[in-house]
Amino acid sequence: MNGMQIISTGKALPERCVTNDDMAKIVETSDEWITTRTGISTRYFCKQQAGWQLAVQAAKQAVDAAGIDPQQIGLCITATMSPHYATPSTACMVQRELGLAQDVFCFDMNAACSGFVYALETAHALLGTLQKPYALVIGCEVLSKITDFTDRNTCVLFGDGAGAVVLERADAPFAAMHGANGNDTALVCPGYGSEKQFLSMDGKAVFRFAVSSIPVCINEVLTRAGLSLDEVDHIVCHQANRRIIESVIRQMKAPAEKFYMNLQHYGNTSAASIPLALADMQQQGLLKKGSKLICVGFGGGFTWGASLICWNEKE
Ligand code: UT7
């Protein structure tokens, strides 16, 4: 068995929901501008919660829904670029709170908004070497901590949240591709050596990068999987901007309903956006046994990647 499938999802959102009208009280913007330029209507910001608490909540929901013995989880990865602690990693906090076995392979990974698809590919590689059949992959961000709330170019775009999936080694098709190039101007977030305090972005440059790279990612992963677009049930792109996804639909002459969108509710939650979408799709009954999904990430780094993976809920 060298495939892998998703068997459950979970999600967690902070308590504070912020509308576009709320944002217009902070910076010079409007519901009309944000909606037409991005598709975003609301986003959630943490008040008291730490990111790792959201990760724990989402992960617990996914593990409970999977109905598996948590001791059978051999790997726990959190994709995040806004961890509460550099160490202990968010994944280690999840290990403790969920009581996962101490021989679990636990770490955070940062590939910005591509983090979740990078983590899927990593989980696939590692599951092949581990004794245990399950992996827990979480995407979790608290971007409000690194957002400049005086910069209208960025502050209206982002949100906080977490999503999680349980993965199982299985006889199921899995294919992936990934890439990176070092661009330290278009999207930069502060780290320890940085003089910057907040995320900064050249939105147009990221937009151009996104609309040109997503179709390449989708076509490449289809080729690797030996499938056509018709044979795929859903495409789940990183949820950054409705206009980015619409541009991909036009370029690929693809049916719009294949491309799931929930960015209107949460804004851009970086590495959390794809697992949050998967959790909402599951709740909305869109995922059927054997559904073939392509997840596509793109973002800071620049990084990009796509995975073809099946949904197979446990009976
Ligand atoms: O997760 C991966 C990382 N991020 C992304 O994927 C984001 C990719 N980029 C984008 O989604 C879009 O480029 C944005 C939504 C960020 C911006 O949309 P745009 O259509 O490229 O707008 P723009 O930057 O060209 O700005 C147009 C105008 C400017 O005014 P002037 O210079 O034309 O007078 C901005 O100052 O809109 C102005 N503007 C705003 N106005 C009201 C920028 N932000 C706002 C705002 N409210 N919040």
Side-chain angles (χ1 to χ4, degrees):
M1 269 195 298
N2 58 6
M4 182 178 85
Q5 61 194 12
I6 305 179
I7 59 168
S8 67
T9 62
K11 72 172 192 182
L13 293 163
E15 69 276 4
R16 185 163 158 234
C17 180
V18 177
T19 65
N20 290 346
D21 287 336
D22 293 332
M23 293 306 299
K25 291 177 196 149
I26 305 172
V27 284
E28 199 182 323
T29 190
S30 63
D31 177 46
E32 202 265 334
W33 192 95
I34 303 170
T35 310
T36 54
R37 296 296 179 118
T38 71
I40 298 164
S41 298
T42 55
R43 74 285 290 143
Y44 290 80
F45 291 145
C46 285
K47 274 205 298 198
Q48 304 298 334
Q49 295 127 306
W52 67 265
Q53 291 170 316
L54 294 178
V56 165
Q57 207 181 318
K60 188 166 182 346
Q61 216 179 75
V63 172
D64 288 349
I68 58 163
D69 174 3
Q71 302 304 307
Q72 289 304 304
I73 295 172
L75 171 66
C76 175
I77 307 176
T78 303
T80 182
M81 62 170 185
S82 53
H84 188 82
Y85 301 119
T87 191
S89 67
T90 306
C92 283
M93 299 302 281
V94 171
Q95 181 278 332
R96 184 187 76 190
E97 295 296 309
L98 268 65
L100 303 183
Q102 289 197 6
D103 62 357
V104 66
F105 203 177
C106 246
F107 59 93
D108 289 358
M109 66 188 292
N110 173 0
C113 306
S114 311
F116 184 75
V117 287
Y118 264 54
L120 283 183
E121 191 175 347
T122 306
H124 176 251
L126 288 173
L127 265 182
T129 72
L130 296 169
Q131 301 298 318
K132 297 184 178 179
Y134 302 110
L136 179 56
V137 169
I138 304 151
C140 177
E141 301 287 7
V142 183
L143 299 174
S144 60
K145 298 266 192 244
I146 51 170
T147 297
D148 179 355
F149 284 97
T150 65
D151 176 15
R152 69 176 181 172
N153 290 293
T154 54
C155 73
V156 301
L157 304 175
F158 298 102
D160 303 339
V165 295
V166 173
L167 302 162
E168 181 182 36
R169 193 187 304 125
D171 264 329
F174 179 84
M177 60 80 68
H178 57 262
N181 67 12
N183 178 320
D184 64 356
T185 53
L187 207 174
V188 181
C189 288
Y192 299 110
S194 163
E195 66 289 352
K196 287 176 189 282
Q197 199 184 346
F198 298 117
L199 179 156
S200 62
M201 184 173 72
D202 174 351
K204 276 198 190 308
V206 180
F207 194 99
R208 279 194 301 273
F209 157 70
V211 296
S212 61
S213 63
I214 300 170
V216 175
C217 291
I218 294 173
N219 285 326
E220 176 64 24
V221 84
L222 282 171
T223 303
R224 290 185 187 200
L227 293 170
S228 69
L229 189 58
D230 290 346
E231 292 171 284
V232 172
D233 297 286
H234 300 281
I235 308 234
V236 189
C237 293
H238 164 50
Q239 305 283 305
N241 185 322
R242 190 186 62 218
R243 285 162 48 222
I244 291 176
I245 298 176
E246 286 172 349
S247 162
V248 173
I249 293 168
R250 279 195 303 276
Q251 290 179 65
M252 299 193 73
K253 300 185 175 50
E257 59 279 6
K258 232 176 236 246
F259 287 71
Y260 185 75
M261 271 194 254
N262 65 354
L263 58 88
Q264 62 275 23
H265 303 305
Y266 311 134
N268 179 344
T269 56
S270 189
S273 87
I274 295 174
L276 270 172
L278 293 171
D280 280 1
M281 291 169 76
Q282 200 271 325
Q283 275 176 4
Q284 291 158 16
L286 292 173
L287 302 179
K288 312 280 182 232
K289 222 170 170 31
S291 285
K292 291 189 183 66
L293 317 171
I294 289 182
C295 301
V296 193
F298 56 91
F302 286 134
T303 53
W304 58 90
S307 304
L308 179 127
I309 190 162
C310 287
W311 165 263
N312 257 318
E313 202 165 349
K314 278 250 179 259
E315 311 252 283

